[in-house]
Amino acid sequence: MKVTKIKGTLDYYGNELNTYRFIEKVAQECCNLNGIKEVMLPTFEATELFARGVGEGSDIVSKEMYTFLDRSSRSITLRPEGTAGVTRWFVENKMYINSGLSKYFYIGPMFRYERPQAGRYREFRQFGVEIFGNGCAYLDADIIAFADAFLKKLGIKNVKVLINNIGSKASRENYEKVLVEYFKNNIDEMCSDCKNRLVKNPLRILDCKVDKYSSIMKNAPKISDYLIDEDKKYSIEVVNALEALGIKYEVDQNLVRGLDYYTSTVFEFVYDDPSSPINGLTLLAGGRYNGLTKELDGPEMDAIGFATGIERLILVMNELNISPKNLDRADVCVITIGESVKLEGIRLANYLKNNGLRCEIDYLNNNLKPQFKLSYRVNAKYILIIGEDELNNDLIKVKNIDLKTEEIIKVENILEIFNKEGEKYAYKK
Ligand code: HAM
């Protein structure tokens, strides 16, 4: 029998791989801008890490892990997510000795034994960010704004931001008692998973996909009524900060997340297009997990993070016909008319590159056709044209491709076109 790929895995090549690499690049650029450093950690860890970190009551640990005994009979698990591993590394290497916030990101494969379908695989890749350090509502809002900006950079715009505050331990203990009391009386009408959750993790009942629209669920007690004052104040600060940052959000009181380490703020970015078969798909999710460093034998420390499934991003980008080629654009292409100005063109291109612009030039060709061809290939936003006349009169022709405009300006003012300041440019004659 022919050997085929394992169910729920993907072979990457061609366009899909290009899109994957592009997403990786955008993730790295966004992280660089925010001083978030990369970590690359093992894809398998001691099973205990996930049992203690993600929680034995979670679906991931109880049903979805790839766990096996190695040749020394140690229980090993292929990582189902990244937060537990990063926290293990953070604690193990005493990274908490550094003062201030410690900010990390990772990109790599995760493994979950789930039922494969569009956007759900058994091996999938996540880009995740984890930030350790003093909890502050502004940081919560800012990490949501970061995630929002990242998705926008990929051209993904039809997204709804759902947010909730599931409270600190003190708030939750209280609320869980009320929930158990409420659901206990209605549990016969609910699905078998909910029956289990009532005993193991009552909060997760709120997240049930089967009973989502039932009246029992709709009338369930709401966490906001049971938050202690400190948590209530915090959740108000987070939404106020989101508003100040211009991030649209919806409070979803049933958003509880499926991993046990969460405390306080939780959020999800879901695809929002009612006409699409993938409407409602969660693209990115995260929240605060203030107790995890302590759970993994480190000091008590606040932390927040998120992860996004790269396959889901590719799915949405394909659905929206977004190709990296359309987004991955050169700022400028310099075109020269005549051999005598080529070197001046290269000087100008270097000047623009030194001022932070992505600039391309055809070194070889003096004919216009191949030079314009290059500008299409790199999808340049601007074309700058220098000929003898421009050179002699210190001018340059500027074509804005998107606005379809053309103007001739003094070459010394070229940076103003790109809203940049710097030393003025002059031709060498
Ligand atoms: P999660 O909600 O389990 O959270 O996963 C985060 C994202 O990974 C999901 O929103 C989805 O985009 C993607 N994902 C999850 N499962 C699959 C799958 N089977 N196939 C494809 N994509 C999938 C976490 O993993 C947390 N560690 C997030 C986090 C980081 N919270 C704090 N820091």
Side-chain angles (χ1 to χ4, degrees):
M1 215 172 64
K2 233 199 286 173
V3 181
T4 55
K5 77 179 157 71
I6 304 283
K7 194 174 161 190
T9 64
L10 291 162
D11 295 323
Y12 272 101
Y13 66 101
N15 284 344
E16 301 273 297
L17 186 55
N18 289 341
T19 309
Y20 177 84
R21 292 288 179 224
F22 175 71
I23 294 171
E24 214 174 37
K25 197 179 103 188
V26 172
Q28 278 157 353
E29 283 169 5
C30 289
C31 289
N32 284 344
L33 274 180
N34 286 274
I36 304 171
K37 303 270 184 284
E38 184 166 12
V39 289
M40 199 156 81
L41 302 180
T43 44
F44 57 86
E45 300 265 4
T47 303
E48 190 194 347
L49 172 68
F50 303 109
R52 280 167 62 185
V54 179
E56 306 215 61
S58 66
D59 283 357
I60 294 181
V61 173
S62 61
K63 301 190 216 164
E64 296 169 0
M65 294 208 305
Y66 280 91
T67 298
F68 56 94
L69 292 181
D70 71 6
R71 287 174 192 274
S72 312
S73 297
R74 289 189 200 95
S75 182
I76 303 290
T77 292
L78 300 186
R79 65 179 181 192
E81 60 96 56
T83 312
V86 175
T87 309
R88 190 267 309 146
W89 166 81
F90 182 78
V91 169
E92 190 174 338
N93 292 285
K94 299 195 171 57
M95 301 305 286
Y96 46 79
I97 285 173
N98 304 322
S99 59
L101 294 179
S102 302
K103 309 190 267 187
Y104 308 105
F105 78 95
Y106 50 91
I107 300 173
M110 308 290 158
F111 307 87
R112 294 185 195 175
Y113 193 79
E114 291 196 83
R115 207 148 48 90
Q117 52 180 258
R120 194 195 287 162
Y121 305 96
R122 291 183 173 169
E123 183 188 23
F124 59 97
R125 285 127 200 105
Q126 279 186 344
F127 156 48
V129 171
E130 313 293 352
I131 301 182
F132 299 88
N134 275 349
C136 159
Y138 292 157
L139 173 61
D140 297 25
D142 212 29
I143 196 165
I144 293 172
F146 172 90
D148 186 67
F150 163 70
L151 293 180
K152 289 209 168 103
K153 272 211 168 147
L154 296 178
I156 299 177
K157 291 188 180 114
N158 319 20
V159 170
K160 199 153 62 175
V161 180
L162 305 177
I163 177 164
N164 194 17
N165 187 311
I166 58 169
S168 55
K169 225 174 172 186
S171 294
R172 261 209 327 269
E173 266 167 16
N174 196 9
Y175 178 55
E176 274 176 358
K177 274 189 211 137
V178 180
L179 269 190
V180 170
E181 208 45 48
Y182 172 81
F183 282 117
K184 201 168 73 181
N185 302 324
N186 301 297
I187 202 69
D188 290 343
E189 294 163 56
M190 301 187 73
C191 74
S192 58
D193 274 346
C194 282
K195 291 188 178 98
N196 284 331
R197 287 172 185 144
L198 185 67
V199 185
K200 285 192 180 155
N201 192 348
L203 206 64
R204 289 275 286 135
I205 297 180
L206 297 174
D207 201 27
C208 176
K209 303 283 176 285
V210 182
D211 292 315
K212 193 172 177 182
Y213 299 106
S214 70
S215 58
I216 301 168
M217 200 68 94
K218 279 189 189 138
N219 298 327
K222 302 285 177 245
I223 179 82
S224 55
D225 295 328
Y226 297 87
L227 291 180
I228 57 170
D229 287 348
E230 200 182 317
D231 290 347
K232 236 182 237 166
K233 186 167 160 267
Y234 194 88
S235 73
I236 293 169
E237 280 170 5
V238 173
V239 293
N240 284 346
L242 281 177
E243 269 160 33
L245 294 173
I247 307 292
K248 290 206 180 78
Y249 63 89
E250 278 176 31
V251 175
D252 178 351
Q253 298 246 24
N254 282 4
L255 180 70
V256 290
R257 309 277 303 124
L259 302 95
D260 288 357
Y261 48 60
Y262 288 113
T263 54
S264 182
T265 308
V266 289
F267 55 89
E268 284 191 3
F269 285 57
V270 296
Y271 189 57
D272 184 27
D273 175 2
S275 66
S276 160
I278 54 166
N279 183 38
L281 186 72
T282 304
L283 302 182
L284 180 152
R288 272 212 163 274
Y289 50 96
N290 290 343
L292 191 55
T293 44
K294 180 103 190 289
E295 178 63 43
L296 298 178
D297 302 325
E300 183 109 45
M301 210 159 177
D302 294 344
I304 186 165
F306 73 78
T308 175
I310 298 185
E311 283 73 13
R312 294 196 185 178
L313 300 179
I314 295 175
L315 190 70
V316 171
M317 287 170 78
N318 287 344
E319 160 119 350
L320 296 172
N321 279 323
I322 302 170
S323 95
K325 202 170 160 280
N326 296 339
L327 296 166
D328 196 17
R329 303 179 67 180
D331 294 307
V332 192
C333 188
V334 176
I335 288 182
T336 52
I337 307 172
E339 207 178 327
S340 56
V341 284
K342 186 59 94 185
L343 197 56
E344 197 48 59
I346 296 170
R347 258 191 82 230
L348 176 67
N350 270 309
Y351 165 81
L352 295 172
K353 283 190 255 188
N354 290 337
N355 278 286
L357 293 163
R358 199 179 131 198
C359 188
E360 300 274 350
I361 185 163
D362 185 333
Y363 297 97
L364 210 62
N365 290 296
N366 293 312
N367 290 341
L368 285 182
K369 208 169 162 193
Q371 295 192 69
F372 272 106
K373 233 178 173 174
L374 171 69
S375 76
Y376 304 140
R377 191 158 55 76
V378 297
N379 207 355
K381 296 175 196 160
Y382 286 88
I383 294 176
L384 304 183
I385 303 175
I386 319 172
E388 289 280 348
D389 270 0
E390 282 80 12
L391 186 67
N392 291 333
N393 296 300
D394 298 310
L395 299 172
I396 189 151
K397 192 184 272 181
V398 180
K399 276 175 173 282
N400 181 324
I401 301 304
D402 297 337
L403 299 180
K404 297 190 175 63
T405 57
E406 192 177 299
E407 58 181 328
I408 294 179
I409 63 161
K410 285 247 164 234
V411 74
E412 62 176 18
N413 298 330
I414 189 65
L415 285 185
E416 286 174 18
I417 296 281
F418 307 100
N419 292 325
K420 285 190 177 275
E421 283 175 16
E423 210 175 296
K424 297 239 181 246
Y425 186 75
Y427 292 131
K428 231 179 193 165
K429 286 185 272 189

